[in-house]
Amino acid sequence: MNQAILIVLLLFLCTGVASADPAPSSTPSLSALSVPGSTEQPAATFGRDLYYKDEGVVSGPRAPRPSMGDYPRLLGESRLVIWIVAQQHRYWVAFVLGTLLMVTLLEVWTLTRPRHQRAIAYDMLAREWLDLVILAISVAAIFGGLLLLGFLALYPDLTVYLMTVFRPVFLVFGLLLLPFTILSYLYSITWHRWSGGWLKWLHAALGILVNVIGAMLALLGNAWSSFMMSPAGVDASGRFLGNSWHVIHTALWNPFNVHRLAGQLLCASAVLAIHAVYRTMSAATDEEKAHYDWMGAVTCGVLVSALITMPFGGYWLMREIYAYRQQMGITLLGGLLAWLGLVLVTAMGILFFSINYYLWQRIASVGGAWSLGWATKWVFGILALCMVVYITPHTMVMTPLELKNMGGQQHQVLGNYGVESAKSAAVNLMILVTAWSFVLWRFCRNSVPNDRTRRLLQLIAVGFLVAGTNILLLGIYGYYLPANVRVGLSVPMVGTTFTVVLIGVALTSQCISRGHEHHPEWGALSTRGSFSLLAISFLVIWIMGLGGYRRSAVRLFWHVNEIMKDESPWAFTHTTGFAVNMISLNALVFLLGCAGMLWLAKAGLPRRGVTETTTSRSEAETH
Amino acid sequence: MRTFRFIEGFMPLQFLLELVGIVLLFTGVAALLERVSCPINRFFKAVLVFVTFVLYLTYRVYPPMPFSILATYITVGLLAVLLWASSSDAYWQEFKQPILAVVDAETLHTRVLRSVLVILIPCLAGWVTWHSMLTKIEEPVELRTVIPAPPNTFTAFGKRFVTHEVQNPFRVNEHGKYDQRFTDALSVEEGGAGLMKPSANPWASNATAYLMSVREGGALYFQNCAFCHGANLSGRGHENFAFNPYATNFVQLRTILYVEEGHEFWRTAGGGTVLPTEGFPWASVMPPMEEHLTADEIWKILLFKSWFTGGDPAWVYEWR
């Protein structure tokens, strides 16, 4: 119902905008060229694309220039209302799309490996997650509708302008919403009905189709955000030049898409981890506890996999932002929003600590595996050193007296940590250490450690050691290179990390898939371990809010960068403290929503997942 | 602890290696004691490591680090130690044991210790509160925005410039065309020793037009800028120390990217008077040089700065 209202609203608006004639230009642009046409036809006006630099026929009005009085003041500071609603919408959409992707991947995986020990268990796990998605779709749609209404009510000029530019995009978006919703429900209700023979493949195909439509919706939604940051397809005065692909495919669209795809997986796995922890801690039986403990481990695995890509995705996004407008890059990394960047990397550092803590709690929960306990001090020691480097700012917060004592803006010893070369090495090493903890945990689950597995572990350890040394040396080498060459060092660093992590994890999985794995440890995780998983989830959700705010706030006083100014009374940038409070509020509101959703799921779907999974496991073991 | 000074050029790595050395030392001593059947409880190990870490940061690192950094590092250290101490149930039980023993106070020693702590801890809390409430006669901490982002467009010398499109008119090749690769090849090498290439000598008789502009820019720099920004562009001119913050150090260019030419021109022409409203209030005594120099002179000074430091903004454009 909610989706239907939203679709009708979107289509109505698009139709309305489409029927409106583009407003004639009041003053001709300097870049616009008049081409003499026939006497019957009005002369077409051409404009130069702001980004693509080619010419196109002017097909829309100029970007409006509203005055302060043109902004309705219905709910106090309108920006805060939009901020909250947009962030909630973003969270819920990320959860829906991320979970759907995980569900379909699991389903396809089980289909291609029907004889695998855990095939049926994974299939049922996917089914359980899908139930949550169906609940969340409605919430996402409600926030989507509220966001649209909020924009129309509070920022009418901007909304109408964007709808004019994005007219075809909105139409496609609205039309895609309907099949997405219907097919999602169909995907859910046919899970068991289409579980045999070729119907199962048909069901998986349906899942893939839902994901494709979901991805298209996400890409179109991202186009709006990236257009506001790096407009294209319009001329300098904001007039649409008739090429919708240019409007979508702006300078920052692709980095956004990649970054947000990983963000969706992160958000989904974070919420599912909360679900798992909640159900583990409230489990009535050992069987139930073991099931949700296992689910927590699976979600943590997905979370770590997605997280590993985030620093690189973020780096690419920043690089493209710099390349597009250095002014934006400076605002983010050295200017007004740099302190929030520092908060972001601090949260990232704590996140790596938490993940490693969780993994070592898992290792400790495996009987007889604590012979590896000696390694913990090195794991947390290396992480601490990396974090020290990662969070040291280029310019430190200090009193003038401290400045005088230091003798300059840069600290002689620690100032060098404030540059990209050191930070890039630090974050890569943190990823490497985390992957090593993961590999160790996987090995600990091997019930029959033999010479072969031990040799394999030694081989992987050597690989990690060589990779770590290489990253460290590259980080040091970066100080002896010009900046343009130095930035390029991130490629071999990332390459080293990815190669070793992928090979290490693949070798470990290969070893375990030979049938040595046992899983008696499920349910034995300490309470500290469960809480660390909760901390991981909260940090992920909080970091998402912070990253989103920085990306949006970098436009400063522009609605659409360099085209349409924000003339509202709220065009200023909030203080760091206020922004952090708002981000925390948004995270808390989302978590409250999640708590409601999980409560509903628990009340409405009592132990179905556990019963089915347990039955399936028994069947799998019997066969 | 500061008798052995940090080695110049090796400081950041030395700091990390020394910390690793401390952990190695403690590990070795603990293993040795365990071998002679005199193991140390995990609680005391954790306290020892943490206290050593704090002492190291406070007394070993020189110049002294600002409190904000010290507090951050100490928090990271504490976090790491606590996570290590609780990384398994066995570790956690061992770590808690002395604390619980004091709280339970079942022996004379622990009873005395508990009594002392009951008195000491509130006193310590009171002292910390009293100290933090003291009126201090010093300027407050500044959360300063270091690099002001330039506007998209700006006005200087009565003309409007688009920041990301402005180019230095003197950054030209032999044919008089704007060429960043050409000028980059003739800059001083950044990074290592900062050597001047034989082909990049502005005082050579056969110097190109670009190098001649560099030479003129150098002369103008020493007439107008060196008093604050220093003779070797390191921000240590003789007037510099009267200011807070200090003048910009152009040699310390270890930021992610170099700034665009339009950015430099905007900052130099307008000085501290044109800084953006975002991040206000600003603390800059940089004079608006457009009132003292011509546009060409500013461009030549910027060219000299770029040549001297090897900080060519060229590659920023290569991305586009």
Side-chain angles (χ1 to χ4, degrees):
Chain A
M1 187 61 190
N2 299 318
Q3 286 86 344
I5 294 169
L6 185 60
I7 293 160
V8 170
L9 192 63
L10 269 172
L11 293 177
F12 171 75
L13 288 168
C14 291
T15 319
V17 172
S19 62
D21 286 332
S25 310
S26 52
T27 50
S29 166
L30 288 174
S31 61
L33 299 167
S34 291
V35 173
S38 64
T39 48
E40 292 84 13
Q41 299 282 331
T45 309
F46 288 80
R48 188 157 182 257
D49 194 310
L50 201 61
Y51 176 66
Y52 285 98
K53 307 293 180 195
D54 57 357
E55 287 185 350
V57 179
V58 172
S59 314
R62 288 169 178 275
R65 294 171 187 263
S67 62
M68 199 179 282
D70 294 332
Y71 291 89
R73 300 185 195 194
L74 306 174
L75 298 164
E77 188 178 334
S78 303
R79 182 173 46 163
L80 297 184
V81 178
I82 295 293
W83 186 352
I84 292 173
V85 177
Q87 186 61 61
Q88 295 307 314
H89 179 58
R90 185 71 230 150
Y91 277 141
W92 285 100
V93 166
F95 171 67
V96 167
L97 296 179
T99 311
L100 271 175
L101 182 59
M102 286 160 66
V103 165
T104 307
L105 286 176
L106 274 181
E107 190 185 13
V108 172
W109 187 86
T110 53
L111 271 177
T112 51
R113 291 170 180 78
R115 291 176 186 279
H116 193 275
Q117 194 181 6
R118 288 197 159 269
I120 299 173
Y122 276 126
D123 193 64
M124 291 303 124
L125 188 70
R127 175 74 184 97
E128 191 175 347
W129 288 349
L130 191 57
D131 287 336
L132 296 177
V133 172
I134 299 305
L135 284 172
I137 283 179
S138 301
V139 186
I142 288 169
F143 276 113
L146 283 176
L147 183 62
L148 192 60
L149 285 175
F151 267 123
L152 277 168
L154 303 172
Y155 291 92
D157 291 322
L158 169 68
T159 312
V160 169
Y161 170 66
L162 286 175
M163 284 186 161
T164 310
V165 175
F166 278 86
R167 189 187 308 156
V169 178
F170 267 105
L171 278 168
V172 174
F173 191 89
L175 290 172
L176 283 175
L177 267 178
L178 193 63
F180 176 75
T181 314
I182 293 170
L183 291 177
S184 296
Y185 281 109
L186 194 65
Y187 187 50
S188 173
I189 58 174
T190 54
W191 190 280
H192 289 298
R193 287 176 200 170
W194 294 2
S195 60
W198 63 273
L199 279 174
K200 191 65 188 164
W201 287 98
L202 185 66
H203 188 262
L206 180 63
I208 292 169
L209 183 64
V210 170
N211 273 285
V212 168
I213 297 174
M216 286 170 72
L217 284 168
L219 297 184
L220 293 178
N222 294 348
W224 184 344
S225 307
S226 61
F227 176 82
M228 288 173 77
M229 236 178 126
S230 56
V234 293
D235 68 5
S237 58
R239 295 180 299 183
F240 177 51
L241 298 179
N243 189 335
S244 287
W245 175 241
H246 281 185
V247 171
I248 295 170
H249 188 218
T250 63
L252 302 177
W253 188 54
N254 277 327
F256 270 7
N257 292 334
V258 171
H259 204 56
R260 281 188 164 175
L261 176 67
Q264 282 165 8
L265 278 174
L266 269 174
C267 182
S269 48
V271 175
L272 294 173
I274 293 171
H275 170 60
V277 172
Y278 164 58
R279 296 298 293 265
T280 305
M281 296 177 91
S282 62
T285 62
D286 287 346
E287 186 187 59
E288 193 179 354
K289 190 173 183 181
H291 168 72
Y292 285 106
D293 189 20
W294 171 66
M295 184 194 282
V298 173
T299 54
C300 188
V302 178
L303 190 145
V304 173
S305 309
L307 180 71
I308 284 174
T309 66
M310 284 304 264
F312 313 131
Y315 181 81
W316 182 36
L317 178 59
M318 276 311 306
R319 184 186 153 122
E320 292 303 318
I321 288 174
Y322 250 105
Y324 174 69
R325 288 290 181 273
Q326 197 183 77
Q327 174 236 355
M328 280 185 176
I330 290 173
T331 303
L332 281 168
L333 291 186
L336 194 60
L337 300 171
W339 295 112
L340 279 170
L342 196 64
V343 174
L344 181 77
V345 295
T346 307
M348 284 292 286
I350 298 171
L351 186 60
F352 277 109
F353 264 119
S354 309
I355 291 170
N356 278 276
Y357 189 71
Y358 174 77
L359 290 171
W360 279 92
Q361 291 296 314
R362 289 240 73 106
I363 292 172
S365 72
V366 180
W370 200 240
S371 57
L372 292 165
W374 61 270
T376 49
K377 60 173 155 301
W378 294 109
V379 165
F380 291 114
I382 293 170
L383 281 176
L385 291 183
C386 289
M387 190 167 166
V388 157
V389 174
Y390 198 43
I391 64 177
T392 302
H394 191 244
T395 299
M396 298 166 180
V397 180
M398 54 193 159
T399 63
L401 183 65
E402 288 172 330
L403 175 70
K404 296 284 178 193
N405 289 340
M406 262 172 53
Q409 300 280 357
Q410 308 301 327
H411 194 281
Q412 285 179 26
V413 181
L414 311 171
N416 291 292
Y417 299 148
V419 299
E420 198 54 28
S421 194
K423 294 192 186 306
S424 197
V427 76
N428 276 287
L429 285 174
M430 285 201 278
I431 291 171
L432 217 55
V433 169
T434 308
W436 174 243
S437 298
F438 183 76
V439 165
L440 278 184
W441 173 49
R442 297 280 288 165
F443 265 96
C444 286
R445 290 164 56 190
N446 192 324
S447 59
V448 196
N450 50 34
D451 286 346
R452 183 176 163 276
T453 53
R454 284 201 193 92
R455 274 200 302 277
L456 195 62
L457 184 61
Q458 284 165 359
L459 184 73
I460 295 172
V462 170
F464 272 76
L465 207 62
V466 170
T469 311
N470 185 42
I471 289 166
L472 191 64
L473 291 177
L474 285 171
I476 296 166
Y477 183 51
Y479 285 93
Y480 297 91
L481 293 173
N484 52 343
V485 184
R486 187 189 312 147
V487 170
L489 282 184
S490 61
V491 176
M493 277 193 200
V494 170
T496 306
T497 309
F498 267 146
T499 307
V500 173
V501 169
L502 287 176
I503 292 176
V505 172
L507 281 176
T508 314
S509 302
Q510 173 68 16
C511 173
I512 288 171
S513 67
R514 296 282 171 95
H516 296 308
E517 187 185 16
H518 72 152
H519 29 82
E521 80 272 22
W522 301 125
L525 183 71
S526 67
T527 312
R528 294 190 307 283
S530 294
F531 275 111
S532 66
L533 194 53
L534 275 185
I536 292 166
S537 304
F538 180 78
L539 278 167
V540 163
I541 288 161
W542 195 84
I543 289 171
M544 269 187 78
L546 177 59
Y549 169 70
R550 287 183 81 224
R551 183 203 57 72
S552 182
V554 75
R555 284 182 283 114
L556 300 177
F557 46 84
W558 294 99
H559 283 313
V560 181
N561 192 39
E562 298 173 15
I563 285 181
M564 185 180 174
K565 256 192 176 178
D566 182 355
E567 299 287 0
S568 71
W570 317 289
F572 62 93
T573 302
H574 279 298
T575 60
T576 303
F578 184 88
V580 166
N581 287 338
M582 277 296 292
I583 292 157
S584 303
L585 176 72
N586 265 324
L588 284 174
V589 169
F590 176 62
L591 288 171
L592 278 174
C594 287
M597 177 184 71
L598 299 180
W599 175 77
L600 273 176
K602 191 179 179 186
L605 312 161
R607 304 188 68 241
R608 190 178 71 185
V610 183
T611 316
E612 284 176 351
T613 309
T614 314
T615 314
S616 309
R617 270 195 203 151
S618 311
E619 283 170 6
E621 280 159 17
T622 311
H623 291 100
Chain B
M1 287 175 89
R2 287 171 184 159
T3 312
F4 301 102
R5 302 189 67 174
F6 278 92
I7 304 163
E8 195 75 38
F10 191 61
M11 291 174 173
L13 199 59
Q14 189 181 349
F15 171 77
L16 297 176
L17 287 177
E18 285 184 6
L19 285 173
V20 172
I22 289 170
V23 179
L24 267 175
L25 184 71
F26 276 106
T27 308
V29 171
L32 202 66
L33 287 173
E34 206 152 307
R35 183 166 280 190
V36 296
S37 304
C38 187
I40 311 174
N41 181 281
R42 200 159 298 279
F43 174 78
F44 297 109
K45 281 184 192 171
V47 170
L48 264 174
V49 169
F50 179 65
V51 169
T52 311
F53 181 64
V54 173
L55 291 174
Y56 177 87
L57 294 180
T58 314
Y59 297 108
R60 169 70 179 131
V61 179
Y62 190 84
M65 59 179 82
F67 177 75
S68 63
I69 297 296
L70 184 67
T72 311
Y73 284 10
I74 288 174
T75 309
V76 171
L78 184 64
L79 185 66
V81 167
L82 284 177
L83 292 182
W84 163 71
S86 63
S87 53
S88 78
D89 276 340
Y91 277 19
W92 186 230
Q93 295 303 329
E94 189 186 341
F95 180 81
K96 286 192 302 186
Q97 190 267 328
I99 303 169
L100 294 176
V102 171
V103 174
D104 290 342
E106 287 175 351
T107 64
L108 178 65
H109 288 105
T110 49
R111 267 203 294 277
V112 171
L113 191 57
R114 187 175 70 173
S115 306
V116 171
L117 287 174
V118 164
I119 297 165
L120 262 183
I121 290 172
C123 288
L124 188 68
W127 182 81
V128 170
T129 310
W130 174 77
H131 191 260
S132 64
M133 299 297 283
L134 271 180
T135 308
K136 296 183 183 67
I137 307 171
E138 64 174 331
E139 293 173 65
V141 170
E142 275 186 56
L143 204 62
R144 206 169 73 84
T145 305
V146 182
I147 310 171
N152 304 99
T153 58
F154 63 93
T155 305
F157 299 99
K159 278 177 67 180
R160 186 171 165 274
F161 295 89
V162 178
T163 311
H164 61 273
E165 289 178 358
V166 177
Q167 293 180 335
N168 192 328
F170 299 101
R171 189 182 289 281
V172 291
N173 60 19
E174 293 145 319
H175 309 293
K177 289 200 169 176
Y178 186 86
D179 190 339
Q180 292 157 348
R181 287 182 191 277
F182 175 80
T183 58
D184 190 26
L186 294 178
S187 296
V188 169
E189 286 176 17
E190 191 240 341
L195 297 173
M196 186 175 74
K197 295 164 197 161
S199 59
N201 183 0
W203 290 272
S205 55
N206 60 345
T208 59
Y210 157 68
L211 288 171
M212 292 295 285
S213 301
V214 167
R215 184 174 169 176
E216 287 174 44
L220 287 162
Y221 175 85
F222 282 98
Q223 288 163 14
N224 296 279
C225 318
F227 311 109
C228 298
H229 290 285
N232 60 0
L233 283 70
S234 63
R236 288 181 171 245
H238 62 264
E239 290 181 6
N240 180 48
F241 294 96
F243 305 138
N244 176 26
Y246 297 148
T248 303
N249 174 353
F250 297 123
V251 185
Q252 219 277 352
L253 282 168
R254 288 164 176 172
T255 48
I256 184 171
L257 290 174
Y258 297 168
V259 296
E260 289 170 329
E261 293 180 311
H263 183 169
E264 289 183 326
F265 186 75
W266 160 75
R267 190 78 178 86
T268 313
T273 61
V274 291
L275 290 171
T277 48
E278 294 83 30
F280 189 82
W282 293 96
S284 171
V285 292
M286 171 84 181
M289 296 310 288
E290 67 175 328
E291 293 176 9
H292 306 281
L293 299 167
T294 65
D296 283 356
E297 286 171 335
I298 290 179
W299 280 125
K300 284 175 183 173
I301 290 173
L302 294 175
L303 204 64
F304 166 72
K305 190 224 83 177
S306 171
W307 172 84
F308 187 91
T309 58
D312 197 323
W315 66 289
V316 173
Y317 293 90
E318 286 170 13
W319 281 358
R320 292 186 180 147

